[in-house]
């Protein structure tokens, strides 16, 4: 609550959405993204972090034709249009999965585990998917 | 203090709904306020009035429904998650042309914005899931 | 920050991720299948000992008892009831569930 | 060859039901027989006719329902698992004093013995779950 | 199918129920046990194996009063009455969880990973919970 | 025996359990989130290489493509369609899904 602030007559809180699950195998990544999009309408201080298998949500070249599911990866590119611009990826999660920043479909800030932990500490609300 | 609670898994399959219920009861017993309980993902399945659990087990749905009515809790089922999984109130059923509805008293169906608002208005948001 | 872990450390990497990322000054609460981390002489005892050096570790008593672990809890783990769970959430300024 | 298929998770939440469906279609296309598809655990949630998935996504329930009717598949929902989770046909609803039912055509409700029998009668039982 | 046999006019297959999940956190252990009990009525050659967190299903002293869930652990003791007598526990799963045979509420045969793998190979049907 | 693994090896221990227990002469099929095991240069590459020394390893192409891994597959992994999945089940006398 220390980070809570009053701006333009409303409460502004720091919200972090922490994505830890791979897409398609379960619905959490997709339904998590739906929460992120809605949150944009509330003028909060929103950030997204990708940790563990959550970094797989951002891989380039997803093609869901064969599994007949909706490919929602282009939506991450649209987040900028919702003024959601703080995207963090934890370095160790990315590297241990054989990925580099070039493999990701959006620009992100790569953070160490300790840096991400410090960012989490600053939040008012953390919702993990 | 003001709490919001998020429940992400359905009854019986995961313990998440049980833990959330016990947490809610304990918070109320300590004099805290519960601003909202928000049911998302498979958590929407906690709101069906059609369950018939074994006699020797707890009734997860009825427990929530009774707590909501006794304590005037605001219990919200996410509409998008509910539509994916087949949870409907009378209103939604008629709007969608469905011939039945299955929501138990004590829950209401609304949008995802209610979750974000629950995070803004409460002092703490506690998430229970898989 | 209060970190809540509800997954068995023998089956999932949630606890390991939590311990890698969690900043100093927080606390760890084990609930549901997360309480299996408290078992004495297991392969994860060392990890939990390491965690305890940096922050207090709590486990939900009802979950410990359900799983038959009441007599198998490592020294240093603090058991709490659902009321203690509520207190922990109230005492920390924010909370993360490592689902 | 004769296959039986077990589906243990509900629609959308896990890919299990999708994979099972694609497997069933591919097996039939190759001329194999499907002796039975058995829905257990949260898999029973594949049988609700009340889902309204987003327009731009697949309709998991209708796909199963149509496949069953086209191919005369025997698709069985476990009664005990269904009761815990609020899945009922008209018969069960009236027996349990429930005012609504939610099963889609193509599925039938029966006992767990149908799973064991599916394992006995088929050449292979393939399990899809979480 | 090589193990299939005709006895007393019916098919007898080797069924193995492989328990890999902890109890209470999820329903799989409980609903798995319900399948095992039903299978007894079909006169098949049934065995149960406990692997990974499945060995936690067998710990002595389970008390579910606090979580208000049904304690189904006594049912494992009743399996003998259903003529289900082949219970296997994988050694490494048990030992890495700090457990020994004395901690388990039923008599089991402790098997190495390789021995369990060989037993699985012999089955006609394996259902894993 | 055909062993089917549908869980990410980075999140769960299913693949490790399968590889510990699986008897020689079987085959491994990766589906759903299990296909993440095939990614080149990852922390589990060595485990999967070890597995390939003992049995053939297949991955479901539709799942590999959905996850954007088509250009990241380790050498030696054989991609199959749902029809190939059916064939693998038919060719092996029994099947185990490591859920």
């Amino acid at each position: 609550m220390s980070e809570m602030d009053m701006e333009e007559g409303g409460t502004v809180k720091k919200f972090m959405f922490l994505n830890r699950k791979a897409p398609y195998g379960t619905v959490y990544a997709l339904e998590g993204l739906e929460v992120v999009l809605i949150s944009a309408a509330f003028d909060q201080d929103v950030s997204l972090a990708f940790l563990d298998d959550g970094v797989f949500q951002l891989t380039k070249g997803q093609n869901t034709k064969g599994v007949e599911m909706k490919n929602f990866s282009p939506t991450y590119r649209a987040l900028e249009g919702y003024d959601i611009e703080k995207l963090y990826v934890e370095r160790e999660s990315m590297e241990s999965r054989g990925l580099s920043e070039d493999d990701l479909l959006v620009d992100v800030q790569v953070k160490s585990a300790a840096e991400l932990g410090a960012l989490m500490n600053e939040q008012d609300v953390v919702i993990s998917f | 203090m003001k709490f919001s609670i998020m429940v992400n898994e359905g009854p019986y399959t995961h313990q998440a709904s049980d833990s959330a219920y016990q947490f809610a009861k304990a918070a109320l017993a300590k004099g805290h306020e519960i601003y909202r309980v928000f049911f998302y993902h498979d958590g929407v399945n906690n709101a069906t009035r059609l369950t018939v659990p074994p006699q020797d087990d707890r009734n997860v749905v009825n427990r929530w429904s009774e707590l909501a009515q006794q304590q005037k809790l605001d219990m919200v089922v996410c509409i998008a998650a509910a539509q994916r999984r087949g949870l409907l109130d009378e209103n939604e059923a008629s709007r969608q042309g469905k011939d039945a509805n299955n929501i138990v008293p004590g829950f209401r169906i609304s949008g995802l914005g209610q979750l974000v608002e629950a995070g803004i208005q409460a002092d703490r948001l506690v998430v229970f899931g898989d | 920050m209060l970190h809540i872990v509800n997954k068995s450390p023998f089956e999932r990497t949630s606890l390991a991720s939590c311990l890698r990322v969690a900043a100093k000054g927080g606390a760890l609460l084990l609930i549901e299948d997360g309480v299996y981390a408290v078992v004495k002489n297991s392969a994860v005892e060392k990890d939990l000992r390491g965690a305890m050096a940096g922050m207090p570790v709590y486990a939900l008593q009802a979950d410990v008892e359900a799983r038959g672990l009441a007599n198998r809890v490592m020294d240093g783990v603090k058991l709490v009831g659902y009321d203690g769970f509520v207190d922990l959430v109230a005492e920390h300024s924010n909370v993360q569930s490592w689902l």
Side-chain angles (χ1 to χ4, degrees), chain A, chain B, chain C:
Chain A
M1 300 298 293
S2 56
E3 305 300 324
M4 195 165 92
D5 205 356
M6 303 303 276
E7 250 180 44
E8 301 169 32
T11 304
V12 176
K13 281 191 173 182
K14 281 175 174 274
F15 273 75
M16 178 180 275
F17 299 106
L18 188 55
N19 296 283
R20 295 186 53 242
K21 314 256 188 180
Y24 308 116
T26 56
V27 83
Y28 302 104
L30 169 62
E31 290 191 331
L33 194 52
E34 291 178 356
V35 177
V36 172
L37 295 175
I38 294 285
S39 74
F42 285 79
D43 294 319
Q44 302 293 301
D45 182 358
V46 171
S47 60
L48 264 71
F50 297 86
L51 181 68
D52 297 331
D53 278 354
V55 301
F56 282 133
Q57 295 177 25
L58 300 179
T59 50
K60 284 178 184 164
Q62 298 177 31
N63 176 353
T64 56
K65 213 172 153 201
V67 293
E68 296 181 17
M69 298 166 82
K70 181 182 162 183
N71 178 358
F72 56 94
S73 65
T75 310
Y76 297 102
R77 285 219 189 86
L79 289 175
E80 220 180 338
Y82 289 82
D83 291 326
I84 296 172
E85 292 172 335
K86 292 180 209 164
L87 272 62
Y88 307 113
V89 165
E90 193 231 3
R91 177 171 289 113
E92 190 176 325
S93 297
M94 181 175 73
E95 290 179 353
S96 66
R97 285 163 181 76
L99 300 175
S100 69
E101 279 185 73
D102 290 343
D103 296 311
L104 308 183
L105 47 73
V106 281
D107 288 335
V108 298
Q109 298 177 51
V110 178
K111 298 286 181 188
S112 68
E115 287 168 336
L116 181 63
L119 280 169
M120 287 174 68
N121 249 6
E122 291 172 10
Q123 305 300 313
D124 296 302
V125 180
V126 180
I127 303 184
S128 176
F129 295 103
Chain B
M1 190 170 260
K2 221 187 289 182
F3 291 107
S4 285
I5 294 173
M6 182 178 184
V7 181
N8 289 341
E9 298 297 331
Y12 305 105
T13 304
H14 292 86
Q15 201 186 341
S17 179
D18 293 274
S19 299
Y21 172 79
Q22 300 294 350
F23 181 89
K25 266 209 321 186
L28 292 166
K30 280 186 156 279
H32 294 295
E33 182 188 338
I34 293 181
Y35 179 75
R36 181 169 292 148
V37 187
F38 190 86
F39 295 83
Y40 197 46
H41 303 309
D42 272 4
V44 301
N45 291 325
N46 286 287
T48 173
R49 69 172 182 278
L50 302 184
T51 64
V52 187
Q55 300 276 356
D56 58 353
D57 205 350
R58 79 275 188 212
N59 190 316
V60 174
V61 171
N62 287 359
R63 265 188 342 194
W64 276 119
S65 178
E66 285 158 18
L67 190 69
Q69 291 176 81
Q70 281 161 17
Q71 305 275 348
K72 310 256 177 277
L73 288 189
D74 186 25
M75 303 209 311
V76 177
V77 173
C78 169
I79 188 164
Q83 286 180 340
R84 273 199 187 94
R85 293 165 180 84
L87 273 283
L88 297 163
D89 60 13
E90 210 176 326
N91 230 350
E92 267 299 294
S94 96
R95 209 167 65 88
Q96 303 288 351
K98 295 288 185 182
D99 62 346
N101 65 78
N102 53 357
I103 294 283
V104 76
F107 291 82
R108 67 185 177 92
I109 293 186
S110 188
L112 262 180
Q114 300 273 310
L115 168 63
V116 180
E117 205 224 7
I120 295 171
Q121 296 301 331
D123 298 307
R124 303 283 184 279
L125 172 66
V126 188
V127 184
F128 294 88
D130 177 34
Chain C
M1 171 164 255
L2 176 66
H3 297 271
I4 302 176
V5 172
N6 74 336
K7 291 292 171 297
S8 165
F10 303 101
E11 191 198 29
R12 306 233 207 166
T13 51
S14 308
L15 179 62
S17 295
C18 169
L19 298 181
R20 186 172 82 244
V21 169
K24 299 238 181 268
L28 172 63
L29 171 64
L30 302 164
I31 69 169
E32 301 172 4
D33 286 346
V35 301
Y36 284 117
V38 306
V39 178
K40 273 186 281 203
N41 303 321
S42 87
V44 302
E45 171 158 5
K46 200 173 50 123
D47 297 336
L48 202 65
R49 286 249 164 264
M52 280 194 267
M55 60 183 166
V57 175
Y58 302 88
L60 198 56
Q61 183 151 12
D63 283 321
V64 168
E65 289 174 353
R67 289 158 182 81
L69 310 179
N71 298 321
R72 297 182 176 89
V73 181
M74 286 168 55
D75 293 341
V77 174
K78 299 172 182 110
L79 298 184
V80 294
Y82 289 106
D83 55 342
F85 183 176
V86 172
D87 292 342
L88 284 169
V89 173
E91 286 160 15
H92 292 83
S93 57
N94 49 18
V95 52
Q96 150 70 356
S97 295
W98 292 85
L99 304 180

